[in-house]
Amino acid sequence: MATSRLDQVIEVFAEHEQLYNPATVAPKEKSFILSNYKDLILSDVRDEEIRQMKKEIQKEAAAYKHSLFKKVRTSIIVETIFVAFLIGLIVNQVTYLIPQSYFWAGSIIVVSLLLCVLFISLESAKD
């Protein structure tokens, strides 16, 4: 049976590290030692590869999160400025409609506050 290059390298390394004595070890025992040593090396390689993949994934996730945050932040800023401008226009126009009586002014304030609370609760419920 032809051995792979990895098996050959492991066998030479095992002899160099004196994991077994080539002159006195039985072929079955030698095969067992080399097989276990190969499994140990491959396990270490897999663990290192998994660690490297995790690092790369974490970097990509952080970069994606950062870019997404920038987009959302910009969107929120633009929307806030736009909504503030529209509210300013509405308030300016509504002030001409408010009668000079305190009752009407108070009721408009209460209704406005209730509408604000309603809109905020509706927006919060979307999440």
Side-chain angles (χ1 to χ4, degrees), residues 19-121:
L19 294 177
Y20 67 90
N21 186 354
T24 60
V25 72
K28 198 171 193 179
E29 191 178 332
K30 176 183 172 184
S31 173
F32 179 75
I33 291 171
L34 291 178
S35 174
N36 285 337
Y37 197 61
K38 179 180 178 181
D39 291 342
L40 179 67
I41 290 173
L42 290 177
S43 174
D44 288 347
V45 169
R46 274 188 230 114
D47 290 345
E48 183 60 34
E49 229 175 278
I50 289 171
R51 273 190 236 108
Q52 187 66 25
M53 287 175 153
K54 281 182 181 178
K55 285 180 185 177
E56 290 173 9
I57 289 171
Q58 287 173 344
K59 285 180 185 177
E60 288 178 18
Y64 177 73
K65 184 178 176 183
H66 184 70
S67 68
L68 188 64
F69 176 74
K70 278 185 171 181
K71 289 178 186 175
V72 170
R73 182 184 63 194
T74 304
S75 173
I76 289 173
I77 290 171
V78 169
E79 288 175 5
T80 303
I81 291 171
F82 183 69
V83 168
F85 176 73
L86 290 178
I87 289 174
L89 286 176
I90 292 170
V91 166
N92 191 23
Q93 295 301 316
V94 169
T95 53
Y96 291 113
L97 300 176
I98 297 176
Q100 297 301 322
S101 140
Y102 290 114
F103 172 74
W104 287 107
S107 62
I108 289 174
I109 290 172
V110 169
V111 169
S112 299
L113 287 175
L114 289 175
L115 285 174
C116 287
V117 169
L118 175 70
F119 290 142
I120 290 172
S121 64

Side-chain angles (χ1 to χ4, degrees), residues 7-19:
D7 291 334
Q8 293 171 356
V9 169
I10 289 174
E11 186 174 347
V12 169
F13 190 75
E15 286 178 16
H16 181 275
E17 292 292 317
Q18 299 175 351
L19 294 177

